[in-house]
Amino acid sequence: MKRGTADTREGEMKPFREAHARIRERTPLEPRVAVVLGTGLGGLGESIEIEEAIPYTDIPHFSDSTVETHAGRLLFGHLDEVPVVAMEGRVHRYEGYSLQEVVFPIRVMRLLGAKVLVVSGACGGMDARMKAGDLVLLDDQINLMGDSPLVGPNLDEFGPRFPDMSEPFDGELRELAFQAALERGIRLHPGVYAAVVGPALETRAEYRMLRRMGADVVGMSIVPEVLAARHMEMRVLGMTVVTNVCLPDALEPADVAEILRTARNAEPRLTALIRDVVKEL
Ligand code: HPA
């Protein structure tokens, strides 16, 4: 069959509709905000008044995380009265999933009603002013994954073939986050996030290159999710925790246990800021 006929388009939407239908058998909740809880940042989930928690393995076409630090459940409930859906754990390109698989849940959360996406994650900080544990409010991104979740036949129902990326992260949401940080006395750096495939951390030469390219922080997620969200015209807030400082001329060997500890330490601050922003939505 030729691409682009009504039948093929319906076929391409089918997995999303099946996942959506299964979730709807479990909960009628219409989320306003979708949240992705990244590495070590699952604690925000504890602030949600959970009404339903669905393991990814119960949802058709959802991929289950192979990383121990990611739990693999979709949480439905209220965060300070605002209806939300939260991904407790995400899947990554480095686990072997395609970027289309990585963003599948983002698309389903949009179908469920969410028009705002909050993404969080761990990152390496390349700006000398950043300390381990600092929070970064993303204001732009660089896709260095050599791929895009938007490759393939365009899903017209979700968005246009050539989505605009002039403002990946929403200016108004950023303003709210800065305001909240100021009021709480929490240090919040603005920053450009570069996404790499991983799973190896970067060499000195790579950190140096990323810095010269214009990135302030580097990580292995976020960018595909933001691309899918912007394709669907969701407003996006991105916040990351600097889990390791990556200055090429003073690079220390990375300690993954330490990275996770640092992310967990930052969790209360990240949670507070996200709650402050979500409350305004
Ligand atoms: N590089 C890539 N991803 C990361 C890093 C890093 O240094 N730290 C946490 N996630």
Side-chain angles (χ1 to χ4, degrees):
M1 197 184 293
K2 261 192 359 210
R3 287 222 174 280
T5 64
D7 279 353
T8 39
R9 277 201 298 274
E10 203 33 58
E12 278 148 8
M13 287 303 292
K14 199 163 164 244
F16 301 100
R17 295 205 207 289
E18 286 171 352
H20 175 262
R22 180 69 55 85
I23 292 166
R24 277 289 169 252
E25 287 168 14
R26 300 271 294 262
T27 174
L29 189 131
E30 285 220 10
R32 197 175 311 154
V33 179
V35 187
V36 183
L37 306 169
T39 304
L41 304 171
L44 176 60
E46 282 153 33
S47 313
I48 300 174
E49 273 177 63
I50 298 175
E51 284 150 47
E52 187 66 85
I54 311 178
Y56 294 160
T57 46
D58 286 358
I59 310 173
H61 315 290
F62 262 54
S63 306
D64 196 22
S65 176
T66 62
V67 190
E68 291 151 47
T69 51
H70 293 73
R73 292 189 309 168
L74 205 53
L75 309 178
F76 290 85
H78 286 82
L79 184 61
D80 304 308
E81 324 268 287
V82 177
V84 299
V85 55
M87 290 177 66
E88 200 173 35
R90 55 154 67 88
V91 299
H92 305 80
R93 176 72 192 89
Y94 64 71
E95 294 173 80
Y97 296 109
S98 69
L99 292 187
Q100 286 76 12
E101 288 171 314
V102 167
V103 305
F104 185 84
I106 308 292
R107 298 216 181 269
V108 172
M109 293 192 290
R110 176 70 194 88
L111 284 182
L112 290 164
K115 294 201 174 73
V116 173
L117 178 70
V118 178
V119 279
S120 64
C123 68
M126 298 180 291
D127 180 324
R129 289 166 293 193
M130 293 173 179
K131 296 190 181 68
D134 280 0
L135 300 182
V136 180
L137 180 64
L138 304 184
D139 54 22
D140 212 335
Q141 69 178 29
I142 301 176
N143 181 7
L144 293 173
M145 293 183 129
D147 192 7
S148 165
L150 309 181
V151 167
N154 185 51
L155 301 169
D156 297 332
E157 192 172 321
F158 284 124
R161 172 76 286 189
F162 301 107
D164 174 64
M165 286 300 286
S166 59
E167 195 184 5
F169 299 97
D170 187 83
E172 202 181 319
L173 298 180
R174 268 187 290 148
E175 199 51 52
L176 288 171
F178 270 128
Q179 200 55 44
L182 200 62
E183 278 164 23
R184 288 181 180 271
I186 292 174
R187 188 156 48 176
L188 185 61
H189 304 271
V192 174
Y193 181 102
V196 294
V197 169
L201 298 180
E202 289 65 37
T203 63
R204 290 169 196 271
E206 286 164 344
Y207 284 126
R208 199 173 285 120
M209 172 194 75
L210 292 164
R211 187 74 185 122
R212 288 186 184 163
M213 272 182 162
D216 301 300
V217 295
V218 55
M220 304 172 194
S221 59
I222 295 190
V223 163
E225 294 149 2
V226 174
L227 282 165
R230 291 305 301 145
H231 181 233
M232 302 184 288
E233 293 194 2
M234 295 173 87
R235 296 165 67 199
V236 183
L237 176 72
M239 265 205 260
T240 59
V241 177
V242 176
T243 51
N244 47 308
V245 175
C246 319
L247 303 177
D249 298 309
L251 194 62
E252 305 272 341
D255 174 346
V256 175
E258 179 64 24
I259 286 180
L260 295 179
R261 231 181 350 260
T262 305
R264 269 196 297 275
N265 277 341
E267 199 172 83
R269 278 175 287 132
L270 184 84
T271 299
L273 294 186
I274 291 177
R275 286 179 78 159
D276 286 346
V277 175
V278 168
K279 249 183 255 171
E280 301 291 323
L281 301 177

